[in-house]
Amino acid sequence: HRQLAQEVTEAQQLHAAAASAEAAATAAVGETQRNADERHLQLEQEIAEAQSKHTTAAEAETAAQERHRQLAQEVTEAKQLHAAATSAEASATAEVGESQRKADELRQDLATAEEHHRKAQEAELAAHGLAQDRHLSNEALMQ
């Protein structure tokens, strides 16, 4: 009977130890599950943040590409305007040169005309003088 009682006590102690080990294991499994759930939520949050950053970066890249395209177009337009301005300047310079040449020709023609006019006046005065001399000479002869 004593041996049986001792075996029952040992069996009760083993049962208590097994129950304690099971409770510890259950607690460890619960803690591990809570840790895994927390890490899973943390990873999902990090993934969502990374996706948001990726979307923001992609939007910024698209905006930068559009701005680059606009700037390239503005540069092309500025080059075209510069070429047109250079062409207009060259044309205006040529026109100024032509006008200057014509003005020089007109000044030369005016100088020539003034010289001819002066010579004609001199010739007219000389002819008038000769006519007067002849008239006086004719009057002298008639007397």
Side-chain angles (χ1 to χ4, degrees):
H1 178 73
R2 193 194 293 167
Q3 185 180 358
L4 191 56
Q6 188 176 351
E7 286 179 9
V8 167
T9 300
E10 289 175 1
Q12 287 174 341
Q13 289 173 346
L14 284 174
H15 179 72
S20 176
E22 183 181 358
T26 300
V29 166
E31 180 67 20
T32 301
Q33 185 63 48
R34 278 190 303 279
N35 289 342
D37 290 345
E38 286 176 13
R39 182 64 182 144
H40 181 74
L41 288 175
Q42 184 182 14
L43 288 173
E44 284 181 346
Q45 186 177 3
E46 289 175 7
I47 288 169
E49 289 172 3
Q51 287 173 338
S52 175
K53 287 178 182 177
H54 180 267
T55 299
T56 301
E59 289 169 354
E61 181 179 359
T62 300
Q65 288 173 346
E66 175 61 20
R67 183 64 183 139
H68 181 268
R69 188 195 63 72
Q70 288 173 350
L71 288 174
Q73 184 175 350
E74 289 174 14
V75 166
T76 299
E77 290 170 1
K79 286 179 180 178
Q80 290 170 346
L81 286 174
H82 182 264
T86 300
S87 176
E89 181 182 9
S91 178
T93 300
E95 287 179 21
V96 166
E98 181 64 16
S99 295
Q100 186 66 44
R101 186 188 62 74
K102 287 179 180 177
D104 289 345
E105 286 179 2
L106 288 174
R107 276 192 285 279
Q108 183 63 41
D109 291 347
L110 179 61
T112 301
E114 287 175 347
E115 179 65 21
H116 289 163
H117 180 68
R118 187 186 58 77
K119 287 181 180 179
Q121 282 181 332
E122 289 175 359
E124 184 182 343
L125 286 174
H128 184 67
L130 281 176
Q132 219 173 14
D133 287 348
R134 278 195 188 151
H135 179 67
L136 290 175
S137 196
N138 286 340
E139 279 186 7
L141 285 175
M142 292 188 109
Q143 290 180 358

